[in-house]
Amino acid sequence: MSEPTPNRLATDLIHAGRIRTNLDENAEALFLTSGFTYESAELAEAVFANQIEHFQYSRFANPTVAMLESRLARLEGAEACRATATGMAAVHAAVMCGLKAGDRVVASRALFGSCHWIISTLLPQFGIESVFVDGPDLPGWQAALAKPTALVLLETPSNPMLDIVDLAAVSRLAHAAGALVVVDNVFATPLLQKPLQLGADVVVYSATKHMDGQGRVLGGAVLGSRQWIEQVFQPFFRNTGPSLSPFNAWVILKGLETLPLRLKAQSESAEAIARFLETHPRIARVLYPSLASFRQRELALRQMSGGGTLIAFEVKGGKPEAFRLMNALRIISISNNLGDTKSLATHPATTTHMRIGAEERARLGITDASIRLSVGLEDVQDLIADLTQALDKM
Ligand SMILES: *Cc1c(COP(=O)(O)O)cnc(C)c1O
């Protein structure tokens, strides 16, 4: 039903995987239906026996969701994709579907908060050992992966301090230990980083972030080989039900059409803002992957084709100064979301990373003066002016 996709990426993000009905609609149809009907009992029998391909029930598959899955697979360069209700549903299902009691999991320490909870708290409840490694510490990975391991989960660049993990080196070590390598690629997006080409086995996304990119819906995706998706992931997915709503899939399809344009503009603005912040006397430190001052710049630019839309920085002083800056912003909003067309500022120590505690924050380099900025699609001169007037009020 879907069409071949011989075109360049920007074209395929508008056309790939299209399922057009006999009504010849131009935009992708929104199949807001939970179930499908069968002409005869014989057809239903054949469909359930896997003899005929036919949509059955939207928990398993849905045409609008299938269009999104085809397009995401094309974007990632993956054989197969399943879309999920949220980014966390994607991470949870990708991690849990192949694990069993007695297994061992190694993960980078600087993970999105809920991913950290799955590894540190949920897995041990099922008799699965979990081990954390500092993402940039290659000897640390080597030591942790000296024992047989079932799965590696890592995030690069990490939230919020933009630690970079060497994807090729860690994938090699992980495979030698027998592990499946799962990469949370939300910060880089599939446009700036292709983990599968660097040796990873599975890539997971929160489509809530850059893919919708306009702050409307939650969604997620899991991408990997056809064999892994069909044989390991699909039974877990089909029977546990973390499925994406067709409505949300339709919104994310519209988001993908403009993803390359949005990401290019937002990344350019982010780099300009990072350079501006670096020269400001009230700023102590700026982290952005393509800055000359970025400690892991060489590795970042080896595996990413751009710095992305997120900046981490520290103001001089502590929490009062950070709060004063954030409260004085007029265009940039205070919010814990990211990847949106609207620029958003977060104080990780008191919000997204409050629950992990002061000791773990210190290990991750998150201080009371740290601010994460997700750069949106506003005019960059207005964003710099907004930051300038807010910095003046500190
Ligand atoms: C937001 C996010 C998630 C979770 O996605 P949801 O759509 O909120 O469930 C996972 N990993 C990273 C890096 C994220 O930024």
Side-chain angles (χ1 to χ4, degrees), residues 178-209:
L180 181 87
V181 178
V182 181
V183 176
D184 182 336
N185 202 34
V186 167
F187 268 43
T189 80
L191 288 170
L192 299 183
Q193 179 168 273
K194 295 265 196 283
L196 298 178
Q197 289 176 10
L198 295 163
D201 303 296
V202 174
V203 184
V204 290
Y205 289 100
S206 166
T208 315
K209 309 295 166 55

Side-chain angles (χ1 to χ4, degrees), residues 85-89 91 111-115 155 157-159 184-187 205-209 217-220 336-338 372:
T86 65
M88 283 322 304
V91 174
L111 288 179
F112 185 75
S114 296
C115 302
E155 185 184 317
S158 72
N159 177 32
D184 182 336
N185 202 34
V186 167
F187 268 43
Y205 289 100
S206 166
T208 315
K209 309 295 166 55
V217 299
L218 299 180
N336 45 286
N337 198 9
L338 61 93
R372 184 190 77 194

Side-chain angles (χ1 to χ4, degrees), residues 90-257:
V91 174
H92 174 249
V95 167
M96 290 305 270
C97 67
L99 291 178
K100 59 182 187 316
D103 277 346
R104 180 166 188 277
V105 170
V106 176
S108 55
R109 188 180 305 284
L111 288 179
F112 185 75
S114 296
C115 302
H116 194 279
W117 183 86
I118 287 177
I119 303 296
S120 66
T121 307
L122 184 67
L123 293 185
Q125 291 175 14
F126 293 88
I128 296 163
E129 183 192 355
S130 55
V131 177
F132 284 104
V133 175
D134 288 327
D137 176 17
L138 216 44
W141 285 103
Q142 199 155 11
L145 292 167
K147 282 193 213 164
T149 301
L151 185 135
V152 164
L153 175 67
L154 64 91
E155 185 184 317
T156 180
S158 72
N159 177 32
M161 303 311 278
L162 309 178
D163 280 347
I164 309 291
V165 181
D166 187 331
L167 282 166
V170 171
S171 296
R172 256 194 313 276
L173 291 167
H175 289 153
L180 181 87
V181 178
V182 181
V183 176
D184 182 336
N185 202 34
V186 167
F187 268 43
T189 80
L191 288 170
L192 299 183
Q193 179 168 273
K194 295 265 196 283
L196 298 178
Q197 289 176 10
L198 295 163
D201 303 296
V202 174
V203 184
V204 290
Y205 289 100
S206 166
T208 315
K209 309 295 166 55
H210 302 87
M211 289 175 181
D212 169 28
Q214 290 149 86
R216 301 166 295 190
V217 299
L218 299 180
V222 177
L223 299 110
S225 70
R226 188 173 308 286
Q227 192 200 348
W228 183 82
I229 290 280
E230 287 177 2
Q231 289 173 19
V232 183
F233 187 80
Q234 181 68 17
F236 185 93
F237 175 81
R238 178 183 167 115
N239 294 304
T240 62
S243 321
L244 180 65
S245 155
F247 181 82
N248 290 4
W250 182 86
V251 172
I252 297 165
L253 273 168
K254 296 293 111 187
L256 288 185
E257 293 183 351

Side-chain angles (χ1 to χ4, degrees), residues 218-299:
L218 299 180
V222 177
L223 299 110
S225 70
R226 188 173 308 286
Q227 192 200 348
W228 183 82
I229 290 280
E230 287 177 2
Q231 289 173 19
V232 183
F233 187 80
Q234 181 68 17
F236 185 93
F237 175 81
R238 178 183 167 115
N239 294 304
T240 62
S243 321
L244 180 65
S245 155
F247 181 82
N248 290 4
W250 182 86
V251 172
I252 297 165
L253 273 168
K254 296 293 111 187
L256 288 185
E257 293 183 351
T258 57
L259 180 64
L261 292 175
R262 285 186 284 109
L263 204 74
K264 181 169 187 288
Q266 289 174 227
S267 300
E268 281 169 11
S269 295
E271 183 164 322
I273 290 169
R275 285 186 203 290
F276 157 76
L277 288 172
E278 211 171 26
T279 62
H280 199 283
R282 288 190 173 151
I283 299 290
R285 183 163 85 117
V286 181
L287 300 175
Y288 184 74
S290 61
L291 285 185
S293 59
F294 190 71
R295 192 167 42 88
Q296 294 181 286
R297 180 175 195 268
E298 190 271 328
L299 172 61

